């Protein structure tokens, strides 16, 4: 009878889309692990041609989706967007992106193309601005060319998800008409799922979520000002952000996707996760932050999953002891447990 009751319980929670997992730390069943769609990683563009070992390592850790990032550079003096330049790494080139898509699909992995802009090391793209209408139009012409070329690649390569912009608060606020017409042009080319990566502090002000398949968020939410916060303290820090996301989900009737999320392996891991200003190594804090994120998000009915920041395609990560990557760190076991 006990076995029958246990079986009926498991069937019941499976019907709700929720399953438990056995934690190696506590040996307890945690009943808030949902079958999310995107168990993803943002793949750092490889310097040279990628090999199969990268995808084998991702699959081993139950990653089912990767984000590919073809960076473009903004020349502020010329109001220009430059991409697919011969000086860029292979994985940022059009040829490199196409090969990475093919390899990911051969491992039955979903793919998101997520263009990023880079100005300089100290410049936040959300503050991008120009003084004249002519400069804005020059920049928009270049940006549209850049995005539509990758929309065409996404269509031809049967990419699962296309994210047509990343953290562009000021350009969207100042020039909303440009973005509406750009979305219409993308949809004439690309028939897959579409999103935009809003920053954690402005996702509720984006005007075009109705045209998207997902509300995309780069989820670097501040959660705690403690040097070494516990899982429980970080879960408390998540509560106000969960409420805001819930309201945005209800307003637009769209599920939420974390186009990026992640933590460095440092003290004060969740004070300002988007910054790289902490220098004290703390691997345990990174693992704790991931555990709290998954415990807080994965059971939310509106959460479609996301893409952790970040995974190196070669041995470059071994040169960066303090970094966002979970590779060779306790955080990777946490991710693999929740992605399984």
């Amino acid at each position: 009878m006990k076995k029958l009751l246990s079986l009926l319980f498991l069937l019941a929670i499976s019907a709700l889309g929720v399953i438990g997992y056995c934690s190696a730390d506590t040996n307890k069943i945690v009943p808030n692990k949902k079958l999310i769609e995107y168990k993803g990683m943002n793949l750092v563009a490889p310097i040279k041609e990628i090999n199969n070992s990268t995808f084998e390592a991702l699959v081993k850790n139950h990653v089912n989706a990767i984000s590919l990032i073809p960076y473009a550079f903004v020349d502020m003096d010329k109001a220009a967007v430059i991409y697919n330049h011969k000086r860029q790494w292979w994985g940022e080139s059009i040829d490199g992106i196409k090969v990475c898509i093919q390899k990911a699909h051969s491992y039955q992995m979903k793919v998101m193309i997520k263009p990023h802009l880079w100005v300089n090391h100290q410049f936040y793209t959300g503050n991008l601005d120009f003084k004249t209408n002519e400069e804005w139009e020059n920049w928009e012409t270049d940006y549209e060319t850049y995005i539509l070329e990758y929309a065409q690649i996404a269509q031809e390569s049967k990419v699962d998800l296309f994210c047509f912009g990343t953290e562009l608060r000021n350009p969207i606020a100042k020039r909303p008409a440009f973005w509406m017409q750009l979305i219409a042009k993308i949809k004439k080319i690309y028939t897959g799922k579409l999103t935009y990566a809003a920053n954690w502090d402005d996702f509720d002000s984006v005007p075009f979520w109705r045209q998207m398949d997902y509300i995309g968020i780069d989820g670097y939410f501040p959660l705690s000002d403690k040097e070494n916060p516990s899982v429980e303290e970080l879960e408390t820090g998540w509560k106000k952000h969960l409420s805001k996301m819930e309201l945005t989900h209800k307003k637009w009737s769209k599920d939420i996707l974390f186009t990026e999320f992640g933590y460095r392996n440092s003290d004060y891991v969740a004070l300002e996760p988007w910054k790289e200003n902490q220098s004290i190594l703390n691997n345990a804090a990174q693992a704790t932050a991931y555990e709290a994120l998954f415990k807080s998000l994965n059971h939310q009915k509106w959460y479609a999953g996301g893409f952790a920041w970040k995974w190196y395609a070669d041995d470059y990560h071994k040169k960066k002891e303090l970094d966002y990557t979970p590779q060779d760190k306790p955080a990777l076991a946490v991710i693999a447990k929740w992605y399984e």
Side-chain angles (χ1 to χ4, degrees), residues 275-336:
K275 290 186 177 180
E276 299 184 25
N277 57 351
Q278 300 297 332
S279 59
I280 305 300
L281 194 72
N282 190 335
N283 285 332
Q286 183 188 37
T288 297
Y290 270 109
E291 179 74 12
L293 183 147
F294 293 129
K295 287 186 73 175
S296 298
L297 271 296
N298 275 38
H299 68 288
Q300 304 294 336
K301 63 181 180 180
W302 40 260
Y303 181 63
F307 296 80
W309 186 269
K310 55 190 175 176
W311 189 276
Y312 291 98
D314 49 34
D315 289 336
Y316 185 62
H317 72 278
K318 294 181 178 179
K319 303 174 185 178
K320 298 173 75 65
E321 188 177 21
L322 207 164
D323 191 55
Y324 283 96
T325 181
Q327 288 163 279
D328 300 329
K329 300 170 188 172
L332 184 56
V334 175
I335 293 169

Side-chain angles (χ1 to χ4, degrees), residues 14 32 52 64 90 115 118 171 183 188 206 228 234 239 242 250 267:
S14 295
N32 67 343
N52 291 341
N64 74 353
W90 174 84
W118 193 91
I183 291 167
K188 289 180 179 179
V206 174
N228 199 30
L234 293 174
K239 288 180 180 177
L242 292 173
K250 288 181 177 178
D267 283 351

Side-chain angles (χ1 to χ4, degrees), residues 42-206:
N42 281 278
L43 185 66
V44 178
I47 299 171
K48 55 187 178 181
E49 188 159 355
I50 199 166
N51 56 48
N52 291 341
S53 63
T54 294
F55 297 97
E56 290 164 1
L58 290 165
V59 170
K60 179 182 177 182
N61 288 284
H62 311 298
V63 173
N64 74 353
I66 59 166
S67 172
L68 301 175
I69 303 168
Y71 272 96
F73 303 94
V74 179
D75 183 331
M76 294 299 292
D77 294 330
K78 297 180 180 178
V81 177
I82 302 158
Y83 69 99
N84 198 41
H85 193 278
K86 63 182 180 181
R87 293 179 62 187
Q88 289 184 259
W89 287 357
W90 174 84
E92 294 175 355
S93 69
I94 287 174
D95 289 343
I97 291 290
K98 288 179 177 179
V99 171
C100 287
I101 293 168
Q102 292 169 357
K103 283 187 174 288
H105 282 167
S106 74
Y107 282 86
Q108 288 75 54
M109 300 178 76
K110 298 180 178 73
V111 175
M112 174 172 72
I113 295 181
K114 185 176 186 282
H116 280 219
L117 294 179
W118 193 91
V119 182
N120 61 51
H121 286 293
Q122 304 299 320
F123 194 99
Y124 170 51
T125 54
N127 295 331
L128 191 70
D129 202 1
F130 297 102
K131 294 180 180 179
T132 68
N133 190 60
E134 181 181 9
E135 287 176 314
W136 272 113
E137 289 179 350
N138 287 343
W139 180 84
E140 288 167 350
T141 297
D142 278 7
Y143 188 82
E144 183 173 294
T145 300
Y146 166 52
I147 293 300
L148 294 183
E149 180 154 9
Y150 278 103
Q152 186 66 50
I153 292 168
Q155 179 67 15
E156 292 171 354
S157 302
K158 296 181 171 60
V159 164
D160 306 83
L161 183 61
F162 184 57
C163 178
F164 67 90
T166 300
E167 298 176 11
L168 294 168
R169 174 175 53 209
N170 192 60
I172 290 170
K174 282 197 167 184
R175 311 279 292 188
F178 166 74
W179 298 96
M180 292 300 186
Q181 65 85 34
L182 178 59
I183 291 167
K185 288 179 179 177
I186 293 169
K187 288 189 171 187
K188 289 180 179 179
I189 296 171
Y190 174 69
T191 57
K193 293 182 178 179
L194 193 63
T195 191
Y196 160 76
N199 200 38
W200 65 270
D201 61 350
D202 64 12
F203 67 88
D204 59 334
S205 63
V206 174

Side-chain angles (χ1 to χ4, degrees), residues 223-227 268 270-271:
L223 305 173
S224 171
D225 60 2
K226 292 194 173 182
E227 180 180 331
Y268 300 99
L271 175 62

